[in-house]
Amino acid sequence: MVGTEKTTFPTGFKFGVGTASYQIEGGWNEEGKGENIWDRMTHSKPDTVEKRHNGDVACDSYHKYKDDIKMLEDLGVDFYRFSFSWSRILPTGFANKINPDGIRYYNNLIDGLIARGIEPMGTMFHWDLPQPLQELGGWQNEALVDYFTDYAKVLFENFGDRVKTWFTFNEPWVIAALSHGGVGLAPATHSPGVGVYLVGQTILKSHARAYHLYQESFKSKQEGRLSMVIHWFGYVPKTDSPEDVAVAEKAKQFKFGWFAHPIFSAEGDYPKVMKDAIAKKSAEQGFPRSRLPVLGKYWVDLIRGTADFIAVNTYTSLLAVPNPDTTEPSWVNDCGVKLTNDGLGWPESVCFWHKENAVEFGNMFRWLRNEYGDREIIVTENGWPEDGSSKHEDWERIRYTHRYLEELLTAIHRDKINITGYTHWSLMDNFEWLQGYTMRFGLYYVDFEDPSRPRTIKKSGEYYRELISKRRLPEKFNEELFASDKKFAKRINLCVSTHGKETFFLS
Ligand code: GBH
């Protein structure tokens, strides 16, 4: 048994849930909203998404936001992390025309949250770029730095009196390496070795400009805080061999360090290992210069220090070995890591990229401290996928959350790491990008067959509510867990054998 002090969250620790505009809002062309790259892709190439699903209606939060607020209130969360739809606020992407209905929608949401004591945390960009900006080349075009800064200004002016925690971008690695690396997320650009790095550069510059704009023109009055949400993936060396260990470490720098090193390290700029590897590969491939553009002193200085805390999303880990099977110049090839499932004993989800490895979640916090020093950390996303077949009986999500939070508490209590918040992804089932509505991450079940999109709480929602009200890991649910589900128990055994330590899950 774990002692109570170890299962209790510190005073002031905040719990929340997250969503994103395109994944929940619907109302894709209502009341002045402009077209974004997800509207365009799902309408013009419907086969890119499983079952030809799209976000035209999604959870219909554009009309049902009051229900969302009730659910948040019922869960008892301290904060709600949602994102603004750029094209709902600026229909063409440009700041010459503001859509009053877009402003009104977010005012209603924000005021409703505040009236119930729920803190709004706003993401400025969660992947739904206005289509007219894509026509300019999207994030590959550095002109977007100015247009993003204009948009940020509109957000600060309209909502900054009430939104005190801002995230400029959600997961720049996904935007750069996946959306532009040929994986198929909108805009589904295929430029895996060149465009990806241009995108990364534009995002870093846009983030820095928005941060400085806030410091110069809004901070003294609004007193809020900003960060960028960076995606962490737990690369675990497959063996203890120096090659495997080195490649896993290099991959962490290539994925997380790509965006975190310029912002959080003392020297700024991209990680050295990344600059060196891309320069070397580029030369071998006959490029006259590195495919990773030089940031230069002006930007290195401007980007360094532009976050008030670390905001990290993380879901899973995989085993890493050297040498991916690619020859085309690409981020994967530059990074030099191949991911493998071989020999994993970790509990699997129904989703191809998602496994449970709580220990690696804990290791992440220690890695962040070693790398960037003692900083405040907020977990801005973490969650578990299922296909809906278990409806409300989502025991696996409870197990996952429980084990991850146990590790988070160890990082707080034993390692004294300053983690101040945890965001469960997601409030409710929603449009899961290329998987459409076939993959569910919600604490609330959403019936997408029903035009009114009813939402009903799952067991995991009850678990989270209990946890938040007591501010400690609930015991009650553990017992229920062991007793009720044989399949579940089998998976727990796997999990324990992998981690090689006894836990109270084995009863
Ligand atoms: C988060 O990304 C997102 O921020 C959130 O919007 C999303 O709902 C949540 O994950 C759950 O997926 O299908 O081949 O494109 C986490 C990182 C990046 C992991 C995209 C899954 C999909 C691979 N994710 N990746 S693919």
Side-chain angles (χ1 to χ4, degrees):
M1 268 294 165
V2 179
T4 359
E5 74 286 355
K6 287 197 192 140
T7 58
T8 303
F9 290 85
T11 322
F13 188 90
K14 289 178 188 171
F15 291 99
V17 289
T19 60
S21 46
Y22 188 75
Q23 294 181 273
I24 67 161
E25 283 179 8
W28 79 277
N29 61 355
E30 281 184 61
E31 299 186 314
K33 178 179 163 294
E35 186 189 26
N36 65 40
I37 58 174
W38 278 90
D39 298 321
R40 173 64 63 96
M41 189 179 88
T42 57
H43 294 157
S44 63
K45 293 188 184 137
D47 288 323
T48 49
V49 176
E50 212 148 310
K51 300 208 161 147
R52 306 182 130 223
H53 288 159
N54 63 44
D56 288 2
V57 179
C59 306
D60 201 20
S61 287
Y62 188 61
H63 300 108
K64 294 176 68 87
Y65 70 92
K66 287 185 184 155
D67 291 27
D68 297 355
I69 297 172
K70 271 201 213 100
M71 287 144 62
L72 293 159
E73 194 183 14
D74 184 40
L75 288 174
V77 292
D78 302 304
F79 67 86
Y80 178 41
R81 175 177 173 240
F82 63 94
S83 86
F84 292 93
S85 159
W86 189 336
S87 49
R88 195 179 293 292
I89 294 172
L90 306 176
T92 61
F94 304 108
N96 62 326
K97 277 206 185 74
I98 300 178
N99 174 22
D101 288 323
I103 301 288
R104 185 181 43 76
Y105 173 68
Y106 292 109
N107 273 336
N108 287 342
L109 172 65
I110 291 166
D111 292 344
L113 293 170
I114 290 176
R116 285 157 191 83
I118 301 164
E119 182 185 339
M121 293 191 180
T123 307
M124 299 178 180
F125 184 75
H126 199 126
W127 309 356
D128 43 358
L129 188 72
Q131 184 62 30
L133 295 176
Q134 191 57 46
E135 308 298 330
L136 302 175
W139 295 110
Q140 293 178 97
N141 185 346
E142 205 174 313
L144 261 69
V145 175
D146 284 334
Y147 293 118
F148 179 80
T149 312
D150 295 342
Y151 166 55
K153 182 160 179 271
V154 170
L155 295 182
F156 297 146
E157 281 170 348
N158 283 280
F159 310 113
D161 55 335
R162 288 153 294 152
V163 175
K164 303 298 174 190
T165 301
W166 291 102
F167 306 107
T168 52
F169 289 86
N170 183 68
E171 300 183 347
W173 176 82
V174 172
I175 304 167
L178 296 189
S179 303
H180 295 79
V183 168
L185 294 162
T189 300
H190 185 97
S191 183
V194 178
V196 291
Y197 298 122
L198 300 175
V199 170
Q201 190 120 316
T202 308
I203 289 178
L204 275 166
K205 291 179 179 179
S206 303
H207 161 84
R209 284 280 302 282
Y211 184 88
H212 287 294
L213 169 69
Y214 191 79
Q215 305 310 306
E216 282 147 27
S217 311
F218 297 93
K219 175 90 180 181
S220 61
K221 245 180 130 177
Q222 299 186 348
E223 299 183 316
R225 304 196 307 157
L226 273 83
S227 190
M228 180 198 261
V229 171
I230 308 182
H231 175 235
W232 172 271
F233 187 88
Y235 293 95
V236 180
K238 187 172 178 200
T239 70
D240 292 340
S241 76
E243 296 80 36
D244 285 1
V245 171
V247 84
E249 191 54 30
K250 182 177 165 200
K252 287 171 186 167
Q253 294 295 351
F254 255 79
K255 180 170 277 183
F256 196 86
W258 181 0
F259 298 96
H261 196 273
I263 296 173
F264 295 110
S265 74
E267 67 273 21
D269 206 349
Y270 298 120
K272 186 168 182 310
V273 67
M274 189 176 175
K275 288 193 290 188
D276 292 350
I278 302 170
K280 184 161 170 276
K281 287 265 183 185
S282 302
E284 286 164 10
Q285 291 153 348
F287 287 90
R289 66 191 162 276
S290 178
R291 288 175 281 99
L292 178 69
V294 174
L295 264 178
K297 184 173 164 25
Y298 172 81
W299 281 105
V300 167
D301 290 344
L302 206 78
I303 293 167
R304 189 176 42 221
T306 53
D308 300 316
F309 56 91
I310 293 177
V312 62
N313 288 358
T314 191
Y315 289 81
T316 191
S317 313
L318 275 180
L319 299 180
V321 290
N323 303 323
D325 322 311
T326 65
T327 47
E328 186 188 15
S330 68
W331 178 87
V332 177
N333 186 273
D334 293 332
C335 176
V337 71
K338 178 174 163 174
L339 293 174
T340 152
N341 275 328
D342 316 345
L344 277 184
W346 310 338
E348 304 203 354
S349 73
V350 293
C351 184
F352 70 96
W353 56 269
H354 199 303
K355 313 254 178 291
E356 179 193 303
N357 186 340
V359 170
E360 272 310 305
F361 181 61
N363 287 341
M364 169 186 81
F365 297 114
R366 295 177 276 280
W367 191 93
L368 291 175
R369 179 166 65 187
N370 287 342
E371 196 68 19
Y372 309 115
D374 267 316
R375 288 175 187 272
E376 179 183 343
I377 302 172
I378 298 178
V379 176
T380 36
E381 279 180 36
N382 178 240
W384 177 262
E386 25 95 12
D387 58 13
S389 53
S390 56
K391 284 262 169 105
H392 302 87
E393 306 284 315
D394 57 338
W395 299 107
E396 296 185 343
R397 177 170 291 112
I398 298 178
R399 175 204 62 201
Y400 172 91
T401 308
H402 192 98
R403 289 200 45 85
Y404 272 52
L405 287 174
E406 252 189 316
E407 290 293 334
L408 183 145
L409 282 168
T410 302
I412 292 178
H413 292 305
R414 188 194 69 193
D415 305 330
K416 311 281 177 244
I417 297 175
N418 186 21
I419 309 161
T420 60
Y422 173 85
T423 317
H424 195 87
W425 183 274
S426 176
L427 169 62
M428 59 189 151
D429 299 334
N430 57 47
F431 179 78
E432 179 49 29
W433 308 113
L434 298 180
Q435 275 80 49
Y437 302 101
T438 65
M439 210 54 78
R440 295 169 179 264
F441 279 84
L443 298 174
Y444 278 78
Y445 184 87
V446 179
D447 183 354
F448 292 104
E449 304 293 312
D450 186 325
S452 72
R453 298 295 189 270
R455 303 94 186 269
T456 40
I457 197 161
K458 300 181 192 175
K459 288 284 179 205
S460 60
E462 292 173 12
Y463 167 90
Y464 201 46
R465 178 167 62 197
E466 166 91 0
L467 186 157
I468 295 172
S469 76
K470 301 271 166 53
R471 305 269 146 185
R472 72 179 137 76
L473 294 180
E475 300 285 336
K476 190 172 107 193
F477 282 87
N478 301 337
E479 284 154 27
E480 240 180 286
L481 287 181
F482 310 135
S484 68
D485 192 332
K486 296 231 171 61
K487 187 175 95 206
F488 186 83
K490 209 172 101 204
R491 292 195 175 178
I492 290 165
N493 280 330
L494 278 176
C495 182
V496 169
S497 67
T498 307
H499 299 146
K501 67 171 192 185
E502 287 282 312
T503 79
F504 64 99
F505 272 115
L506 267 186
S507 61

